[in-house]
Amino acid sequence: MIPPTNSLGRLALILFIYPILAVHAFASPPSAASNLARSQFHRPGLNGRWHHNKKHRNQHRHGRGRGSMHTRSALQLHTLIPRGGAAASAVAAAAGEGFISKMSLWTSSPNSAFNLALGILAASTAGLKLFGMAGRRDNSGDGVNGSTKDPKVKSLQIRFLAVFWLLRMADWLQGPYFYQVYASKSFGGATGAMTWVSRLFLTGFASTALFGPIVGRLCDSYGRKAGTLAFSLLYSLGAYSTKSTLLSVLLMGRVMGGIGTSLLFSAPEAWLVGEAGREGVESSLGDTFGLAYAGDSIVAILAGQIAGFAASQRGPTGPFEVSVGFLIMGGLLASMLWKENVASNNSSTESIDSQSESTKPTIRDAVKVVKSDPKIMLVGAMQSLFESAMYIFVLNWPPAVSKAVSTYFAKFAKDASSIGTPYGTVFSCFMACCLLGSTLFGQLTSSSRVDKDGKSKSVSTENFAVGMLTLATLAMGCATMAISSGTLGVLSRIPILSNILSFASPAFSSPGSVLGVLILSLFFFEACVGMYFPAIGTLRSKYFPDSHRSVVMNLFGIPLNAMVVSVFLSIERLGVQGALGVSTAALATALGCSLKLKGIVNKSAAKL
């Protein structure tokens, strides 16, 4: 059987080739084979002059003009027949040209192009999973079952994931129709304008920043299970508020939704880490986070389909109504399957050793904890910077993709206004990328990755975070340059970058190249999002003290939300390019924090 490292290497090669072929199909003019196929299925007259010229160029290149075919002798034809390795090369070249031709045909409309991308991403994820399973079987030596999972770990994962995925489903259901549900309301006799929708959106972010540390402290003091149940209640009330036409009720619903968001992203994770510590299975947290966020990507895809059906039956409030059902089920399962756990009384830092055993954690103590340990500060900074970049990206990718799609596909349509961006399919592609990223995290950091001598080959979470943030920064930077026509011109004036950018400029010279680079960059960034959540969850479980876990997590939500709100309020001046530029800068800063963290950890390990 193929060794696991070779399997992963071959799979990496496949994953590297696929996107290049896709970008080539976008960036290159359709080949002769695709022109012939398109002439059979598409309207005549589109790009007719180009097809005519291409035909004669092909005839001249391959010697297939009528005159040349009749003047060649048999000896000449015999000498032109490739033999041996040349024949194999010719066959391979012909096969490659045929594949590119089909790719060009498949990318002649937005729907077909993104459906193709979704299929490639799904196949890549399935292949990665299969190679990982093969690797585990090789390492186990029995070829069948692999290493047996600890019953305690399995039980904990079942209890946590069943609740977590239900709650995440409820959250994902509300996202696609947030704008529509508030835009459909009437305020003072007029239909809700973008101004009011923006204010309602910002109200949720503001409440998350304002009340996050408070609800985090309450979770640590009175229990993470109670915090999860409170999330179910508050989010249900926020969802039901969308049925009202009163502005005050809608605003209150957004406040409850913002508080609920703080609870969703702190209470369940804090419960899991606390329960794992109580049962002595902390080493399984990386695997559990990988499973949680891999499944979360699938949940998001399903949520999009369910939300669309609910909206078609009940209007824009339909998905919010359905989400209440999932919140109730998640709350019921948590109440039955979870035991309550609260923050441990003993702090892991020396700065608050004077704290009495009976004193409950406070926000002031949490700030002292953060200041006392640079590793906590660095992990928290990575959290704030990456997630702020992610939320800014969420607000700005639709106009960026829509412009690139309409520019490129205009040559295939008579009426440019008829070109529509399949946002649902694009979103599904993003979620497939997230699934691919979280799966890759699980494969590379798994403790089951050992060599023949039994030594671990797993990648440390700190090293993985450095690689992930490097890729995320490069991807967001490429996306920013792809949509900004003046960026390359400005950067090329810098002497050090002028030679480097001379090689990159062809990738931004045509609508097809711009679209290909933009989509590929966004796909890579979404894969990094899939890697990020299990990675940051693992890092928080290692460095955030259990005594103040929830409140510390929410403290770092304050700069996160402040940055997102600031960019949102300045979006008219920044534009999409400026907003993505801010995201790139935030990711680069997060990369610096990860490198600093890695240095501290390596230095500490060297002293041992």
Side-chain angles (χ1 to χ4, degrees):
M1 185 173 289
I2 300 173
T5 52
N6 292 341
S7 300
L8 287 173
R10 294 182 182 183
L11 180 60
L13 179 62
I14 294 172
L15 297 181
F16 178 75
I17 291 174
Y18 268 148
I20 294 176
L21 293 175
V23 172
H24 187 284
F26 274 122
S28 303
S31 62
S34 64
N35 290 336
L36 177 60
R38 192 174 291 112
S39 66
Q40 297 174 357
F41 298 104
H42 290 258
R43 296 180 297 273
L46 292 179
N47 302 316
R49 183 179 302 173
W50 187 88
H51 287 294
H52 179 75
N53 295 336
K54 181 69 174 179
K55 175 180 178 183
H56 285 282
R57 285 199 301 270
N58 286 338
Q59 288 176 342
H60 177 73
R61 183 188 307 150
H62 296 288
R64 292 176 184 171
R66 186 171 298 174
S68 64
M69 288 295 293
H70 287 290
T71 57
R72 284 180 180 167
S73 65
L75 179 61
Q76 288 174 318
L77 289 174
H78 178 77
T79 59
L80 289 174
I81 296 174
R83 298 180 181 276
S89 299
V91 171
E97 183 178 354
F99 183 73
I100 295 297
S101 300
K102 290 182 179 179
M103 291 279 286
S104 299
L105 181 62
W106 293 337
T107 56
S108 60
S109 71
N111 282 316
S112 60
F114 285 106
N115 283 328
L116 171 64
L118 182 58
I120 291 174
L121 291 168
S124 301
T125 305
L128 184 60
K129 271 289 187 185
L130 291 175
F131 276 111
M133 292 170 61
R136 285 194 295 271
R137 286 197 298 268
D138 284 347
N139 290 331
S140 65
D142 59 12
V144 179
N145 296 323
S147 58
T148 303
K149 183 174 292 187
D150 188 334
K152 290 183 178 180
V153 174
K154 187 174 182 180
S155 173
L156 179 61
Q157 289 178 345
I158 291 174
R159 285 180 286 142
F160 173 73
L161 294 176
V163 175
F164 180 77
W165 286 334
L166 285 172
L167 300 182
R168 291 294 292 165
M169 172 66 80
D171 186 43
W172 282 117
L173 280 169
Q174 298 184 17
Y177 289 88
F178 177 88
Y179 175 81
Q180 287 86 341
V181 76
Y182 290 112
S184 64
K185 307 299 180 183
S186 296
F187 305 119
T191 304
M194 183 62 186
T195 302
W196 278 111
V197 176
S198 301
R199 290 174 181 174
L200 288 165
F201 177 81
L202 293 177
T203 298
F205 270 95
S207 64
T208 300
L210 181 62
F211 297 108
I214 298 174
V215 299
R217 176 181 179 274
L218 293 175
C219 283
D220 286 335
S221 300
Y222 298 101
R224 286 75 180 263
K225 174 183 173 180
T228 303
L229 297 178
F231 160 76
S232 298
L233 176 62
L234 290 172
Y235 230 55
S236 297
L237 294 174
Y240 269 125
S241 71
T242 60
K243 299 181 70 66
S244 175
T245 57
L246 298 175
L247 181 59
S248 58
V249 175
L250 295 174
L251 287 170
M252 185 57 64
R254 288 300 300 147
V255 170
M256 289 187 288
I259 298 174
T261 300
S262 298
L263 291 167
L264 174 63
F265 286 97
S266 59
E269 179 180 317
W271 179 89
L272 171 66
V273 176
E275 195 70 8
R278 189 180 66 84
E279 297 186 3
V281 291
E282 297 97 327
S283 60
S284 68
L285 286 172
D287 179 55
T288 304
F289 283 124
L291 289 173
Y293 288 103
D296 185 46
S297 302
I298 300 175
V299 166
I301 296 173
L302 294 175
Q305 302 301 316
I306 296 173
F309 177 77
S312 67
Q313 300 296 316
R314 300 279 296 175
T317 61
F320 291 80
E321 296 170 5
V322 175
S323 71
V324 174
F326 286 97
L327 289 166
I328 292 174
M329 287 189 290
L332 288 175
L333 276 183
S335 64
M336 293 185 295
L337 299 179
W338 290 11
K339 296 179 181 179
E340 187 61 275
N341 68 52
V342 297
S344 60
N345 291 326
N346 295 325
S347 173
S348 61
T349 61
E350 298 178 357
S351 62
I352 56 172
D353 282 342
S354 59
Q355 171 181 314
S356 65
E357 292 289 322
S358 61
T359 302
K360 294 185 181 299
T362 65
I363 297 176
R364 179 178 297 179
D365 290 336
V367 173
K368 292 180 180 179
V369 168
V370 173
K371 290 181 178 180
S372 66
D373 190 346
K375 294 190 292 293
I376 299 176
M377 180 69 75
L378 291 170
V379 172
M382 290 163 57
Q383 169 188 318
S384 297
L385 292 165
F386 187 95
E387 292 184 22
S388 62
M390 180 185 68
Y391 284 120
I392 293 170
F393 159 79
V394 168
L395 295 173
N396 288 277
W397 75 259
V401 172
S402 178
K403 181 180 179 181
V405 165
S406 60
T407 302
Y408 173 72
F409 287 101
K411 63 182 179 181
F412 296 110
K414 288 184 176 180
D415 183 9
S417 62
S418 64
I419 301 173
T421 302
Y423 293 108
T425 308
V426 176
F427 176 77
S428 297
C429 288
F430 286 166
M431 292 302 102
C433 291
C434 287
L435 177 58
L436 182 63
S438 56
T439 303
L440 187 63
F441 171 85
Q443 299 289 351
L444 294 180
T445 62
S446 174
S447 58
S448 63
R449 294 191 70 221
V450 294
D451 57 19
K452 295 180 180 179
D453 298 328
K455 295 181 179 179
S456 175
K457 296 193 300 179
S458 63
V459 180
S460 69
T461 309
E462 291 81 4
N463 289 336
F464 186 90
V466 171
M468 177 269 295
L469 288 170
T470 301
L471 179 58
T473 304
L474 293 174
M476 189 61 70
C478 288
T480 305
M481 288 192 294
I483 63 174
S484 179
S485 58
T487 302
L488 285 179
V490 173
L491 294 178
S492 63
R493 298 174 185 173
I494 303 175
I496 300 177
L497 299 178
S498 58
N499 293 331
I500 300 175
L501 293 176
S502 63
F503 294 99
S505 58
F508 305 95
S509 60
S510 68
S513 300
V514 169
L515 178 61
V517 171
L518 175 63
I519 295 301
L520 187 59
S521 300
L522 298 186
F523 282 179
F524 272 118
F525 177 72
E526 282 291 339
C528 292
V529 172
M531 302 177 204
Y532 163 79
F533 279 106
I536 200 67
T538 305
L539 291 174
R540 286 191 298 237
S541 69
K542 290 176 66 175
Y543 299 116
F544 284 13
D546 189 63
S547 58
H548 300 79
R549 187 177 306 278
S550 296
V551 65
V552 169
M553 290 171 63
N554 282 286
L555 277 176
F556 287 108
I558 296 176
L560 185 163
N561 289 284
M563 185 180 298
V564 174
V565 171
S566 298
V567 170
F568 190 82
L569 292 175
S570 307
I571 194 64
E572 292 185 1
R573 287 181 296 173
L574 289 172
V576 176
Q577 298 95 328
L580 294 185
V582 172
S583 292
T584 304
L587 291 169
T589 308
L591 173 60
C593 293
S594 69
L595 289 170
K596 179 67 174 177
L597 175 66
K598 178 184 175 183
I600 293 175
V601 173
N602 290 342
K603 186 176 180 180
S604 300
K607 293 180 179 179
L608 299 178

